[in-house]
Amino acid sequence: MKPVSTIALHLIAPDGARRTIQAHVGQSLMRAAVDAGIDGIKADCGGLMTCATCHVYVDEAWADRLPVPSFDENSMLDMTAAERRPSSRLSCQIVLDPELAGLTAGIPDTQY
């Protein structure tokens, strides 16, 4: 059996539009979204976890499948421009693996 090298992800825009993208296993959700041209993920710091402009709302069905946010990620989530929710995550901290195929995340209405 050939190892999985790409997975499908679903990103929901603030207006409800759903976009499915292909992402490489091992990259971050942020990098996959930026590479796919997703406008709502700004990623100003390039994934260094210093800006919180890659904030997403992970669908509740997927939230428990992710590792808990680190202390640093949790601190940065306090600085998001959009409302912080229980499902808020920084997409730069979500490393994609085959088990996350189908992951769904919403994009906040603002990153600034």
Side-chain angles (χ1 to χ4, degrees), residues 8-109:
L9 307 171
H10 310 290
L11 299 173
I12 313 297
D15 67 0
R18 180 183 180 106
R19 182 156 169 209
T20 299
I21 64 171
Q22 294 297 312
H24 295 285
V25 168
Q27 76 180 158
S28 68
L29 174 56
M30 178 216 73
R31 176 57 44 212
V34 169
D35 288 352
I38 302 296
D39 186 50
I41 303 294
K42 301 303 182 190
D44 288 349
C45 72
L48 298 176
M49 201 170 44
T50 60
C51 71
T53 60
C54 65
H55 178 209
V56 295
Y57 301 121
V58 175
D59 185 276
E60 289 180 14
W62 290 93
D64 289 340
R65 299 183 199 187
L66 299 175
V68 296
S70 68
F71 176 83
D72 290 338
E73 180 182 359
N74 197 41
S75 296
M76 285 305 301
L77 285 166
D78 286 338
M79 309 222 180
T80 59
E83 172 192 10
R84 181 179 180 173
R85 300 178 185 167
S87 63
S88 287
R89 294 297 301 264
L90 296 181
S91 60
C92 68
Q93 298 303 298
I94 299 173
V95 178
L96 302 171
D97 62 41
E99 290 76 35
L100 294 179
L103 174 75
T104 301
I107 299 171
D109 60 355

